[in-house]
Amino acid sequence: MRKEKPVHFVGIGGCNMSALAGALHQRGYTVTGSDIANGPNVRALTQSGIQVSIGHATSNLPDSSQLVVASLAAVGRTNPEVLQGEEWGVRTVDRAELLAAIMAQHPESIAVSGTRGKSTTTSLVAAVFVAAGLDPTVSVGTTADQGNYRNGGGRHAIVEACEYHRAFHYMQPSAALILNVVHGDHGDYFKNEEDTHSAFHDFAGKIRHGGLLVTSADCPVARTITASQGRRVTFGLAQTADYQAKITSWHDGRPRFTVLHRGTTMGELAPHLLGQHNVTNILGAVAMGHQHGLELDQMRDAVETFAGAPRRLQHLGTRNGVHVYDDKACTPGEAAATMAAIRRATPGNIAIVLRPTSFSRVRDLLNEYPDPFAKGDRIVVTDIYPGRDTEDFGMHARDVVRVLAEAGLDAHYVPDNGTAPDVEAVCAHMSRWARDVSALVTFGPNDVAQVGHAYLDGQR
């Protein structure tokens, strides 16, 4: 591509889209884009010098554009800017295709996949490789204002590989990491469990000849995935894992554990991250690093000082003895891992602000919503954030409140103010509970995090 001709991103504010746009801009390419809202990712890109239009219209597309990039699963081919590009003969590519092209420019590429933990583990692998002086290129699906890309000069590209619409099938990595395979996250696309499983099996088949598959020994589905063209190693708490973690103690919710490689002790780690689920995320990153020639001593500082990916069990602060956490968790299973970690760190009742993400997830996982929570917790449920859904599948936030109440939980519905959470109304509930809880946790898309910030700012 020519650097002076625009590359136009439709939906540039998405986590993965903003990473690609920022990376190309930093490489010297002319980047433009559009999005339906002026969110934090859009603001970060605008501040870096990228021209972003709010709203979708044919006039947003520069007539000299050489490429249109879109998450086609989200915006579709009927988007006016996509249609305008096609009318002008400008090629349109899915963002996953562009990411795969960037990966292909590197002799070694690592794709981190799984239905849970991708962003954290991608960030961990990147931190390990950066600390080792390998200068990798990185793309991860987190927020642009906190850095979701890195242009490196080394041999490695490290990327988050998303399964939605089988986007990761564009990739042909030299190494792939599969953290887990749990059905229920993308019920608007995957037909059933077998459909989800087949997507990951096929992804493993994309690994380059002579490549590497690092996969979980704890996940029943991941255990069945093989690397037809290369070697395969496993990680987990299971004794059968090639890389095994043995947890020896807990300190304020943080684990200390020994790492063994095929029965031989490599050493001990005491990470900053909370929770047992992060033990396996860390172990996957360590296994990948070790398979690329790094010793545990070379990885220890990067692992133990890693503070986490943005909005993944992120500690925002403390006020009046109440610890405030924010987590993107889209499913009850993800919320359960976060809640278990927080209960170890801050024993006591917990206040939860739950913003369910996507009607299709609520439909498929409705009866699982009580699982992460305990009697004594205080739960506010806002309206469902639609995400990519174009229909409500007959679901409403009151359905979530109903199943929580049927499980004996203290749950309340607080309608949105427009299309965003009613922060004042939610905080009014928080003020009544503040003396009875040890922590406040917000679950859901970016806009729910403002509740935690409002509480910390003393608004309630």
Side-chain angles (χ1 to χ4, degrees):
M1 297 189 297
R2 292 166 57 184
K3 290 190 174 181
E4 72 277 7
K5 296 191 69 176
V7 178
H8 186 74
F9 287 78
V10 182
I12 197 169
C15 288
N16 290 290
M17 289 283 283
S18 60
L20 288 169
L24 288 189
H25 176 67
Q26 194 178 79
R27 292 184 181 198
Y29 289 92
T30 301
V31 174
T32 61
S34 65
D35 207 281
I36 58 173
N38 187 23
N41 286 350
V42 168
R43 290 192 290 272
L45 295 174
T46 301
Q47 290 169 6
S48 74
I50 295 175
Q51 178 185 329
V52 180
S53 302
I54 302 303
H56 293 308
T58 56
S59 58
N60 293 340
L61 183 67
D63 56 15
S64 57
S65 296
Q66 62 180 322
L67 188 69
V68 174
V69 183
S71 178
L72 294 173
V75 306
R77 289 193 174 273
T78 59
N79 177 277
E81 294 161 41
V82 172
L83 291 174
Q84 183 66 73
E86 291 177 350
E87 182 179 327
W88 287 347
V90 179
R91 185 184 176 193
T92 297
V93 300
D94 189 86
R95 59 133 184 116
E97 188 174 355
L98 176 60
L99 179 57
I102 292 173
M103 293 170 66
Q105 294 178 330
H106 293 77
E108 297 186 60
S109 56
I110 299 170
V112 179
S113 70
T115 49
R116 300 172 185 168
K118 292 187 293 292
S119 297
T120 295
T121 308
T122 306
S123 301
L124 267 165
V125 174
V128 165
F129 277 60
V130 169
L134 297 176
D135 196 17
T137 290
V138 181
S139 176
V140 59
T142 56
T143 55
D145 57 346
Q146 298 188 50
N148 54 5
Y149 68 89
R150 181 183 192 275
N151 282 314
R155 293 173 51 83
H156 301 87
I158 301 168
V159 305
E160 181 175 337
C162 181
E163 73 275 12
Y164 189 59
H165 274 247
R166 290 174 164 80
F168 56 1
H169 288 181
Y170 283 106
M171 302 174 181
Q172 292 183 306
S174 58
L177 196 160
I178 299 178
L179 293 162
N180 42 57
V181 183
V182 181
H183 176 64
D185 194 9
H186 297 298
D188 60 324
Y189 172 72
F190 290 113
K191 300 173 186 176
N192 48 40
E193 288 188 31
E194 291 73 23
D195 195 24
T196 303
H197 300 172
S198 70
F200 280 88
H201 281 279
D202 292 345
F203 168 63
K206 302 287 184 181
I207 298 172
R208 298 177 200 169
H209 183 74
L212 168 69
L213 173 64
V214 178
T215 188
S216 170
D218 297 333
C219 172
V221 178
R223 282 201 301 266
T224 69
I225 299 176
T226 58
S228 59
Q229 302 188 83
R231 67 190 189 278
R232 175 182 182 272
V233 297
T234 60
F235 66 93
L237 302 178
Q239 290 186 348
T240 56
D242 294 309
Y243 292 88
Q244 183 191 7
K246 287 190 174 181
I247 300 173
T248 55
S249 61
W250 292 89
H251 302 275
D252 297 325
R254 294 179 172 85
R256 181 181 293 272
F257 60 94
T258 301
V259 179
L260 296 90
H261 179 222
R262 293 172 180 161
T264 300
T265 299
M266 294 176 63
E268 192 174 60
L269 290 172
H272 178 80
L273 296 181
L274 298 174
Q276 182 169 300
H277 66 294
N278 275 320
V279 173
T280 52
N281 290 339
I282 291 167
L283 197 59
V286 167
M288 186 63 74
H290 191 249
Q291 287 292 311
H292 282 80
L294 302 179
E295 297 299 327
L296 188 63
D297 285 344
Q298 292 176 271
M299 297 185 272
R300 180 173 286 102
D301 284 349
V303 168
E304 293 188 341
T305 59
F306 181 73
R311 304 210 65 240
R312 275 70 175 178
L313 189 43
Q314 184 175 4
H315 186 256
L316 300 182
T318 305
R319 178 185 169 216
N320 297 333
V322 177
H323 294 272
V324 180
Y325 296 90
D326 178 48
D327 196 285
K328 188 184 178 182
C330 299
T331 66
E334 292 171 319
T338 293
M339 291 297 293
I342 292 172
R343 291 191 201 284
R344 283 187 182 273
T346 57
N349 297 330
I350 298 174
I352 296 105
V353 182
L354 173 63
R355 184 158 175 75
T357 303
S358 92
F359 297 102
S360 58
R361 286 191 180 101
V362 173
R363 176 198 64 186
D364 295 338
L365 303 172
L366 180 62
N367 292 328
E368 297 178 23
Y369 274 90
D371 294 349
F373 311 120
K375 292 179 180 178
D377 291 341
R378 313 288 200 271
I379 309 168
V380 166
V381 182
T382 75
D383 281 314
I384 298 169
Y385 177 76
R388 289 177 286 237
D389 286 346
T390 56
E391 58 178 300
D392 62 19
F393 298 101
M395 292 290 104
H396 192 277
R398 293 187 187 90
D399 295 304
V400 178
V401 173
R402 173 177 54 80
V403 298
L404 293 172
E406 288 172 352
L409 298 167
D410 184 359
H412 304 264
Y413 167 56
V414 176
D416 283 357
N417 182 4
T419 60
D422 188 334
V423 175
E424 184 174 354
V426 172
C427 283
H429 281 277
M430 298 298 106
S431 65
R432 292 196 291 269
W433 298 337
R435 294 182 180 180
D436 302 326
V437 299
S438 60
L440 163 63
V441 190
T442 53
F443 285 118
N446 291 339
D447 58 8
V448 76
Q450 61 187 309
V451 174
H453 291 294
Y455 175 79
L456 288 171
D457 290 342
Q459 295 181 24
R460 283 285 177 178

